[in-house]
Amino acid sequence: MDETVDVQGTAIGVGTLVALAFFGYSRYINETILGLDAAMLATGAFAATFAAVGLLHGAYGRRDLALAHGVAAVGLALVTLAINGPQVLGGLVLLVASGSYIALVTIRARNTETQAAG
């Protein structure tokens, strides 16, 4: 029997736990960690998670999903570090575009798997 490991799920899980730890620290202990806004670090952890998932997709040959996750990471980083409205808007446009592509590809892949199994 072939054993597979869902590394994408693991990467997302670890990134989410790190982000929640930063957010919890920000909410209940202190707003900053070594002078950095802990809520910003939480959002940055999610951006790093997108980048890690993009690298994983690239390693497995899914360059389209690697690029989409990379664009999502850049978009979230722009939103996190934005200084003015146009930067936030640019980040949100990147997030919506890449998120829409990721959702579309994921739905199509699941539909194809369902049709092949049934």
Side-chain angles (χ1 to χ4, degrees), residues 38-85:
M40 183 185 75
L41 290 174
T43 310
F46 273 125
T49 301
F50 280 128
V53 171
L55 289 172
L56 289 170
H57 279 295
Y60 286 100
R62 289 299 309 259
R63 286 181 174 62
D64 60 332
L65 286 174
L67 180 63
H69 281 88
V71 169
V74 169
L76 192 53
L78 272 175
V79 169
T80 301
L81 301 172
I83 296 173
N84 55 35

